[in-house]
């Protein structure tokens, strides 16, 4: 499975250069992969921790919300929550981890333009205090949720990059480098063969010339 | 005009006596709680007066339709039998206020209002037109001026809580005013007690929200039996001071147990249940009166509690809430 080339010395030199290049590339990519994996594992650990915590908190918040729902008519609940007091302004920047651009969120919670609106956009008469509790929990979780979104995306992008790098490393290690080596061996053999051929021819000619004299 | 204190209510009271027997009793509710699934619970409901509505139900999740229909039927029936129509109209007022809140918020959000409750005194289309055109001439005076004020202030502050607070306040002012106009100590007592209970809950909720006294002043409703300035002056003191101050009133046990439950379990469930039970007890006192509006109002409240309980059980069953969590919140029945 060698590369089809003319078995010439020039080609041999070219291939040797390519081989050393491929080896250097392989080493670099391998280093990159190692570092990516290291970063990836750090992120994944953080992600898992955060995710477990948020899932627990969310389960609690949903349970509280359910209780609020159970003691309030649907229409009243909808009315209470239909106009939020908070606006979320989210801007996305890029952060470079090993030349992978992962998103970085920064956010700003905006309250109503004036007045002292709290996080609770409703009055007290028809609403249950159980709704207060779930709104409070949910509002506390919001920054963490954004953090999680950011982490999960970073992990996803890193995973894709690792996959890509792994393919490249493998392609270099198992395909390109062996192929070049094979070809080099082939050319070397061919050149040796030619040399031996030339040598024998010379010896033969020498014999013929000597026999004539 | 005053509420007639004569035999004119006799027929209505008689009808109520018959209707009362068809209210769900505690054992039916208990059976629903013990049902294995939401479908089972609905089946138990189908054996009762709700049967025909249940039969038309497509899915368990649409149970709110049944409840809404039941309230609409109850109100219509009471209206038919009551010798004084404005008595029931008064009880419908809170639905007008709820619809107004929804319509106003939808207007400011520039969305179409959905989920309106067709239980108020003003038809929904009329209300919608009023909000669209910002013309509230046909509404009662205080409500109109409150709406005009919201129209003026909201675009400046964009604080949706303000809409709710302003309309809730005007609702109860209106209710108290009507009770005075009808010269009914019974209605006045009912609304004053409701105001007190809401104020007490608001007191704790605003405290838990860590808002200041000025905000509490805005949120609290006037007209209750507890003097407002005392509540407001108590606001800066620790929560324990509240039941010390209230120990001489008949809210003492309710506050003590309810607040303790809230502090221990972090849930307002008990206090809210006790508050509803308190109103139930108040109304039960007037239940036996043969010549007055008390049984009508009592029956309406009983229906409201019944609907509340059914909603609680069904939401609980659909979402697999534990029987204890449901039972904890189940309101006492009026019977």
């Amino acid at each position: 499975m060698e590369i089809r080339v003319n078995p010439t010395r020039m080609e041999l030199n070219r291939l040797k250069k390519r081989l050393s290049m491929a080896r250097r590339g392989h080493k670099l990519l391998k280093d990159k992969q190692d570092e990516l994996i290291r970063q990836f594992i750090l992120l994944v650990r953080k992600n898992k921790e955060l995710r477990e915590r948020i899932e627990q908190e969310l389960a609690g918040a949903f349970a509280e919300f359910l209780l609020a729902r159970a003691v309030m008519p649907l229409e009243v609940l909808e009315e209470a929550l239909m106009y939020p007091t908070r606006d979320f302004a989210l801007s996305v920047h890029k952060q470079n981890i090993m030349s992978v651009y992962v998103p970085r969120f920064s956010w700003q919670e905006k309250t109503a333009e004036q007045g002292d609106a709290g996080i609770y956009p409703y009055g007290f008469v028809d609403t249950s205090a159980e709704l207060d509790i779930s709104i409070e929990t949910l509002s506390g979780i919001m920054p963490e949720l954004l953090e999680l979104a950011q982490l999960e995306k970073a992990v996803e992008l890193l995973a894709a990059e690792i996959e890509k790098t792994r393919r490249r490393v493998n392609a270099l290690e198992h395909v390109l480098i062996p192929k070049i080596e094979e070809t080099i061996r082939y050319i070397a053999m061919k050149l040796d063969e030619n040399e031996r051929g030339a040598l024998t021819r010379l010896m033969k000619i020498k014999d013929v010339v000597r026999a004539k004299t | 005009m005053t509420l007639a204190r004569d035999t004119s209510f006799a027929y209505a009271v008689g009808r109520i006596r018959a209707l009362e027997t068809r209210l769900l009793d505690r054992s039916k509710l208990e059976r629903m709680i013990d049902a294995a699934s939401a479908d089972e619970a609905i089946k138990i409901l189908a054996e009762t007066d709700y049967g025909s509505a249940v039969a038309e139900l497509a899915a368990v999740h649409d149970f709110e339709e049944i409840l809404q229909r039941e309230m609409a039927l109850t109100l219509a029936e009471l209206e038919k039998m009551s010798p004084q129509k404005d008595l029931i109209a008064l009880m419908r007022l809170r639905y007008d206020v709820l619809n107004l809140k929804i319509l106003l918020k939808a207007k400011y959000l520039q969305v179409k209002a959905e989920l309106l409750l067709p239980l108020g005194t003003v038809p929904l289309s009329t209300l919608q037109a009023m909000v669209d055109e910002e013309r509230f001439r046909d509404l009662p005076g205080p409500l109109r001026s409150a709406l005009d004020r919201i129209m003026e202030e909201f675009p400046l502050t964009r604080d949706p809580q303000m809409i709710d607070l302003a309309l809730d306040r005007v609702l109860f002012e209106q209710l108290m005013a009507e009770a005075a106009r009808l010269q009914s100590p019974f209605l006045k007592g009912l609304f004053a007690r409701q105001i007190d209970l809401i104020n007490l809950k608001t007191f704790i909720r605003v405290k838990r929200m860590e808002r200041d006294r000025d905000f509490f002043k805005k949120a609290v409703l006037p007209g209750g039996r507890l003097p407002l300035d005392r509540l407001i002056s108590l606001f800066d003191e620790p929560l324990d001071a509240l039941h010390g101050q209230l120990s001489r009133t008949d809210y003492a046990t309710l506050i003590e147990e309810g607040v303790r439950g809230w502090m221990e379990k972090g849930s307002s469930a008990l206090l809210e249940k006790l508050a509803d039970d308190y109103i139930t007890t108040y109304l039960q006192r007037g239940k036996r009166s043969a010549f007055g509006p008390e049984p009508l109002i009592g029956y309406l409240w009983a229906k409201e509690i019944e609907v509340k309980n059914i909603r609680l059980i069904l939401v609980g069953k659909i979402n697999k809430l534990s029987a204890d969590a449901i039972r904890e919140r189940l309101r006492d029945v009026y019977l």
Side-chain angles (χ1 to χ4, degrees), chain A residues 130-145:
Chain A
E130 305 203 57
L131 188 62
D132 300 355
I133 301 169
S134 69
I135 295 288
E136 190 189 344
T137 325
L138 282 173
S139 143
I141 293 177
M142 192 64 192
E144 286 188 329
L145 266 179

Side-chain angles (χ1 to χ4, degrees), chain A residues 66-67 69-76 78-80 82-85 112-114 116-118 120-130 132-133 136, chain B residues 64 68 101-102 105-106 108-109 115 117 154 157-161 164 168 172 198 202 205-206 209 211 218-219 262 266 268-269 272 311-312 319 321 329:
Chain A
L66 180 66
L67 291 174
R69 164 70 186 96
V71 291
M72 286 167 70
L74 185 62
E75 288 80 7
V76 174
E78 285 287 333
E79 188 277 326
M82 74 189 276
Y83 200 121
T85 51
E113 283 155 38
Q114 259 186 35
D116 53 350
Y120 310 96
Y122 45 81
F124 297 96
V125 169
D126 286 322
T127 55
S128 161
E130 305 203 57
D132 300 355
I133 301 169
E136 190 189 344
Chain B
E64 288 276 355
Q68 190 186 323
K101 286 184 198 167
I102 298 175
K105 288 184 179 179
Y108 288 122
L109 285 171
L115 286 168
L117 270 178
F154 186 83
T157 61
R158 305 209 73 85
D159 175 6
Q161 197 170 37
D164 285 13
D168 286 341
F172 277 92
I198 290 167
T202 307
R205 288 169 74 182
V206 174
M209 287 175 186
R211 304 295 301 265
K218 270 196 276 179
W262 197 333
S268 57
E272 284 174 357
R311 173 181 302 115
L312 169 68
N319 295 288
L321 222 60
R329 290 167 175 77

Side-chain angles (χ1 to χ4, degrees), chain A residues 5-18 183-184 187-188 191 194:
Chain A
V5 287
N6 291 327
T8 60
R9 210 160 274 283
M10 208 160 96
E11 203 61 44
L12 183 67
N13 278 337
R14 217 173 58 80
L15 278 175
K16 275 188 178 155
K17 238 181 244 157
R18 262 184 85 184
T183 319
I184 288 177
I187 296 179
L191 287 177
N194 285 350

Side-chain angles (χ1 to χ4, degrees), chain B residues 100-305:
Chain B
L100 276 171
K101 286 184 198 167
I102 298 175
L103 286 168
L104 279 176
K105 288 184 179 179
K107 178 188 172 77
Y108 288 122
L109 285 171
Q110 294 170 342
V111 295
K112 200 178 153 351
E114 280 164 41
L115 286 168
L116 294 161
L117 270 178
L119 301 175
T121 54
V122 187
L124 291 180
S125 53
T126 317
L127 269 188
Q128 176 84 60
M130 280 184 198
V131 173
D132 284 346
E133 293 162 22
E134 303 189 11
R135 274 175 22 169
F136 305 108
R137 268 188 311 186
D138 300 334
L139 291 172
L143 196 55
R144 188 176 58 221
S145 52
L147 285 165
D148 287 339
R149 212 169 48 241
I150 291 173
M151 284 292 168
E152 240 171 70
E153 282 176 22
F154 186 83
L156 300 176
T157 61
R158 305 209 73 85
D159 175 6
Q161 197 170 37
M162 185 202 97
I163 297 180
D164 285 13
L165 292 181
L167 285 178
D168 286 341
R169 174 181 291 253
V170 82
L171 166 67
F172 277 92
E173 277 169 3
Q174 181 73 11
L175 289 177
M176 287 303 278
E178 285 291 303
R181 190 177 65 90
L182 296 169
Q183 293 179 10
S184 162
F186 161 74
L187 281 180
K188 225 172 134 183
L190 171 65
F191 297 141
R193 280 170 176 80
Q194 285 182 331
I195 290 173
D196 280 342
L197 293 170
I198 290 167
N199 280 345
L200 289 172
K201 277 186 273 180
T202 307
F203 184 93
I204 306 174
R205 288 169 74 182
V206 174
K207 245 177 148 34
R208 283 189 55 99
M209 287 175 186
E210 294 173 354
R211 304 295 301 265
D212 56 10
R213 198 157 96 172
D214 287 336
F215 179 74
F216 178 61
K217 254 189 223 165
K218 270 196 276 179
V220 86
L221 301 168
R225 295 192 306 157
L226 300 171
L228 262 194
D229 17 330
R230 218 170 88 199
L231 267 184
I232 293 174
S233 67
L234 265 175
F235 188 75
D236 283 335
E237 289 175 40
L239 206 49
D240 299 333
L242 184 66
H243 50 86
Q245 278 288 323
L246 294 177
S247 58
R248 287 171 188 283
T249 67
D250 48 1
Y251 302 118
T253 44
L254 172 145
I255 281 297
E256 205 190 325
E257 280 181 44
V259 171
R260 187 165 5 99
W262 197 333
M263 293 306 128
E264 278 168 15
K265 288 193 201 150
S267 151
S268 57
L270 184 62
L271 181 64
E272 284 174 357
K273 173 195 149 53
L274 289 174
D276 278 351
D277 290 350
Y278 180 89
I279 297 290
T280 307
T281 319
Y282 173 74
L283 289 172
Q284 270 167 340
R285 265 184 262 154
K287 196 179 157 194
R288 290 290 146 227
S289 130
F291 303 109
E294 286 90 342
L296 272 75
I297 304 296
Y299 178 74
L300 180 61
W301 174 261
K303 260 294 168 206
E304 273 173 34
I305 290 294

